[in-house]
């Protein structure tokens, strides 16, 4: 694509969001970032990747984020004692920096991790949320993880709750609500391939409108 575009995809667990995002990136010929965000944050911060993985899309239990980020969403330079307490909030700040650097480098697709909120001021970003009926997601998780239905249902609810709490804590919008995103797609209705086509088509339209 000749003009920069950054696509941020949120997803319900089991909706196929990661598969869809990966296919979109492949069709557009741009980088795809999922766990790679954690690797970048770990490399740039010098903190072991395992800590980022343990905190990945999990809600925080502290108020240090509010103190560190400041009233207007900008990091407070005086907050320098970050080695005192390595909280999820601190890891989020490192992850935020990694996401911004990746978006500055080239067009790309991000999966989750509040990328839509972190990059909300960019004119080249548009956001998508992938959802699907619970029963279809249960079937998918049973197949992918070789689980019984009850275990799959429990895992879905636990993961969705964690993602929602994480997103709602750091962002000023509700996770999964249609009004929080530029597009909301039911992958149960359109299928993975259909969802990919919708996003790619929207990306082309978005890019064309932004180039006018």
């Amino acid at each position: 694509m000749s003009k920069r575009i950054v696509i941020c995809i949120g997803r319900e667990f089991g909706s196929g969001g990661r598969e869809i995002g990966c296919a979109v990136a492949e069709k557009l010929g741009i980088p795809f970032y999922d766990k790679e965000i954690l690797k970048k944050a770990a490399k740039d911060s010098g903190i072991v990747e395992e800590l980022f993985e343990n905190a990945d899309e999990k809600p925080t239990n502290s108020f240090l984020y509010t103190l560190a980020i400041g009233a207007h969403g900008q990091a407070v330079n005086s907050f320098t004692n970050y080695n005192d307490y390595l909280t999820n909030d601190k890891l989020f700040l490192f992850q935020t920096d990694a996401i911004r650097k990746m978006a500055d480098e080239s067009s790309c697709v991000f999966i989750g991790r509040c990328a839509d909120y972190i990059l909300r001021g960019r004119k080249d970003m548009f956001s998508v949320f992938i959802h699907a009926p619970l029963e279809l997601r249960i079937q998918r998780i049973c197949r992918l993880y070789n689980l019984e239905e009850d275990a799959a249902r429990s895992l879905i609810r636990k993961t969705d709750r964690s993602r929602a709490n994480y997103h709602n804590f750091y962002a000023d919008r509700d996770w999964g609500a249609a009004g929080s995103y530029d597009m909301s797609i039911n992958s149960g209705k359109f299928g993975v391939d259909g969802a990919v086509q919708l996003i790619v088509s929207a990306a082309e339209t978005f890019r064309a409108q932004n180039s006018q």
Side-chain angles (χ1 to χ4, degrees), residues 56-103:
D56 190 26
E57 292 192 296
K58 295 181 176 65
T60 184
N61 292 318
S62 79
F63 295 102
L64 290 180
Y65 169 78
T66 304
L67 297 175
I69 202 67
H72 303 289
Q74 298 296 323
V76 178
N77 293 330
S78 61
F79 193 83
T80 56
N81 298 322
Y82 55 82
N83 287 321
D84 291 344
Y85 301 96
L86 193 56
T87 64
N88 286 13
D89 295 330
K90 300 257 186 76
L91 296 175
F92 179 81
L93 294 179
F94 288 124
Q95 192 168 286
T96 293
D97 187 56
I99 287 172
R100 287 173 176 161
K101 287 179 179 177
M102 289 169 150

Side-chain angles (χ1 to χ4, degrees), residues 108-159:
C108 58
V109 175
F110 288 108
I111 296 295
R113 297 169 185 85
C114 288
D116 60 316
Y117 181 72
I118 292 168
L119 303 175
R120 63 194 181 281
R122 296 181 64 105
K123 294 182 179 180
D124 58 358
M125 186 279 289
F126 85 89
S127 58
V128 184
F129 190 81
I130 308 295
H131 60 97
L134 178 59
E135 291 307 312
L136 291 181
R137 293 192 287 140
I138 290 174
Q139 293 175 19
R140 180 181 177 86
I141 294 304
C142 285
R143 183 176 69 256
L144 292 177
Y145 293 88
N146 193 28
L147 295 175
E148 298 294 331
E149 285 192 11
D150 286 346
R153 181 180 290 105
S154 177
L155 180 59
I156 287 171
R157 288 175 174 167
K158 179 180 179 180
T159 304

